[in-house]
């Protein structure tokens, strides 16, 4: 019975599924008989179920992309997703994981390309950060968690965390490209430094206040630092432009 206990809400899940973790967008189950997939199940909370329905629509539209976690199938229980062995990149770093210079640049490029693909399908992620970037067994990054994202005329019901969220509330409310690219800059910062903007030690409300005041962490010694700052300052018009700049900077770095 212990495996079936969920501390927050009663949910339905198939026989053989084992509870793994709970997050803001649902509960995650694994299958001992199949380590390659996980099941994302909504709770009975109305907002969670609404966000889950949005995520279903988004996965149906997105199809397959090499840097977006693959949706294997859906049924009445929930959404079955490809399992990323190393979990989210933030926890990977917190657990002592590391990455080479080449990997960090490649991961930044891959997430920029994935975000561009999402935008081309009239979707805005709205909550981009290292907690929604997974690392798979082949050490490729995969964007995940579209529960509550914006699609077509449906506004997002989630928003990025402090340090990633755009300082202008109107940009956040409407899930604008500027807001998305601001979060992309912070995500690249996290991929390159193994740390969130202003770190984990500072309380979220303080980080949010600093960002609203234009106080960003120094990127002078950070790889891709100029690109990160340009994302924060609204200097890019699209994630595609960010990806192109990363490619160019990568060529410069490895040509030295």
């Amino acid at each position: 019975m212990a495996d079936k206990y969920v501390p927050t809400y009663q949910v339905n899940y198939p026989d053989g599924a084992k509870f793994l973790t709970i997050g803001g967008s649902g509960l995650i189950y694994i299958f001992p008989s199949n380590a390659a997939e996980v099941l994302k199940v909504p709770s009975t909370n109305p907002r969670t179920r609404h966000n889950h329905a949005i995520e279903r629509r988004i996965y149906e539209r997105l199809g397959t992309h090499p840097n977006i976690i693959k949706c294997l199938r859906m049924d009445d229980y929930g959404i079955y997703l490809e399992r990323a062995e190393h979990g989210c990149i933030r926890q990977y770093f917190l657990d002592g994981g590391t990455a080479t210079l080449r990997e960090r640049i490649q991961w930044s490029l891959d997430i920029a390309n994935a975000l561009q693909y999402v935008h081309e399908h009239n979707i805005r992620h709205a909550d981009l950060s290292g907690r929604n970037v997974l690392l798979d067994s082949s050490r490729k990054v995969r964007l995940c968690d579209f529960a509550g994202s914006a699609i077509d005329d449906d506004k997002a019901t989630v928003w990025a965390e402090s340090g990633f969220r755009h300082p202008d509330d109107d940009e956040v409310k409407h899930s604008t490209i500027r807001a998305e690219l601001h979060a992309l800059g912070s995500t690249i910062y996290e991929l390159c430094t193994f740390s969130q903007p202003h770190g984990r030690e500072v309380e979220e409300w303080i980080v949010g206040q600093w960002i609203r005041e234009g106080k960003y962490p120094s990127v002078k010694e950070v790889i891709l630092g100029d690109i990160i700052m340009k994302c924060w300052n609204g200097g890019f018009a699209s994630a595609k432009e960010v990806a192109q700049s990363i490619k160019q900077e990568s060529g410069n770095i490895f040509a030295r």
Side-chain angles (χ1 to χ4, degrees):
M1 293 297 292
D3 290 329
K4 294 188 176 183
Y5 176 71
V6 177
T8 307
Y9 301 106
Q10 182 65 41
V11 297
N12 294 318
Y13 54 89
D15 291 339
K18 303 294 182 181
F19 175 70
L20 177 64
T21 188
I22 185 170
S25 61
L27 300 95
I28 303 297
Y29 288 83
I30 57 174
F31 298 89
S33 60
N34 184 359
E37 67 181 39
V38 299
L39 170 62
K40 188 173 186 179
V41 179
S43 71
T44 55
N45 178 283
R47 177 176 174 176
T48 302
R49 297 194 73 83
H50 171 77
N51 290 350
H52 183 84
I54 290 173
E55 189 164 31
R56 283 175 175 262
R57 286 176 59 197
I58 288 173
Y59 275 122
E60 286 173 349
R61 179 175 298 183
L62 286 178
T64 302
H65 184 278
N67 296 110
I68 296 176
I69 203 69
K70 186 177 181 181
C71 176
L72 302 173
R73 63 189 182 282
M74 304 181 209
D75 64 14
D76 291 341
Y77 291 114
I79 303 171
Y80 296 79
L81 300 167
E82 189 175 22
R83 187 176 185 181
E85 180 179 329
H86 297 290
C88 81
I89 200 74
R90 179 172 299 169
Q91 192 60 50
Y92 170 77
F93 290 148
L94 287 173
D95 291 341
T98 188
T100 66
L101 173 63
R102 191 176 293 275
E103 281 181 322
R104 285 178 281 165
I105 293 173
Q106 185 63 53
W107 292 349
S108 299
L109 175 61
D110 289 343
I111 290 301
N113 281 327
L115 190 63
Q116 176 63 29
Y117 179 82
V118 167
H119 291 169
E120 288 171 354
H121 287 75
N122 206 25
I123 296 162
R124 304 289 184 267
H125 189 281
D127 189 18
L128 180 61
S129 74
R131 65 186 180 186
N132 288 326
V133 174
L134 304 177
L135 184 63
D136 69 16
S137 58
S138 62
R139 296 186 66 79
K140 289 184 179 179
V141 287
R142 305 289 193 93
L143 182 60
C144 72
D145 198 353
F146 295 93
S149 296
I151 178 171
D152 298 333
D153 294 329
D154 291 336
K155 293 181 180 179
T157 60
V158 297
W159 51 86
E161 63 189 296
S162 293
F164 296 77
R165 190 184 313 146
H166 195 281
D168 186 328
D169 289 341
D170 283 339
E171 300 280 355
V172 175
K173 179 181 178 181
H174 297 288
S175 303
T176 64
I177 292 295
R178 284 173 63 90
E180 291 277 272
L181 299 185
H182 184 277
L184 176 60
S186 296
T187 302
I188 294 172
Y189 179 93
E190 186 170 4
L191 291 171
C192 289
T193 67
F194 310 157
S195 176
Q196 299 154 240
H198 291 305
R200 288 176 53 86
E201 295 74 22
V202 182
E203 293 186 45
E204 272 206 38
W205 73 269
I206 296 177
V207 173
Q209 183 63 35
W210 284 348
I211 297 299
R212 283 191 292 273
E213 294 172 356
K215 297 176 182 177
Y216 290 87
S218 173
V219 293
K220 186 177 180 181
E221 303 298 328
V222 177
I223 57 168
L224 307 181
D226 290 344
I227 294 171
I228 293 168
M229 185 56 70
K230 194 172 178 179
C231 286
W232 287 338
N233 290 337
F236 290 109
S238 68
K240 182 178 181 179
E241 287 187 6
V242 178
Q244 290 170 339
S245 292
I246 294 172
K247 280 185 180 179
Q248 182 176 354
E249 182 61 17
S250 176
N252 294 337
I253 290 171
F254 294 113
R256 293 169 188 166

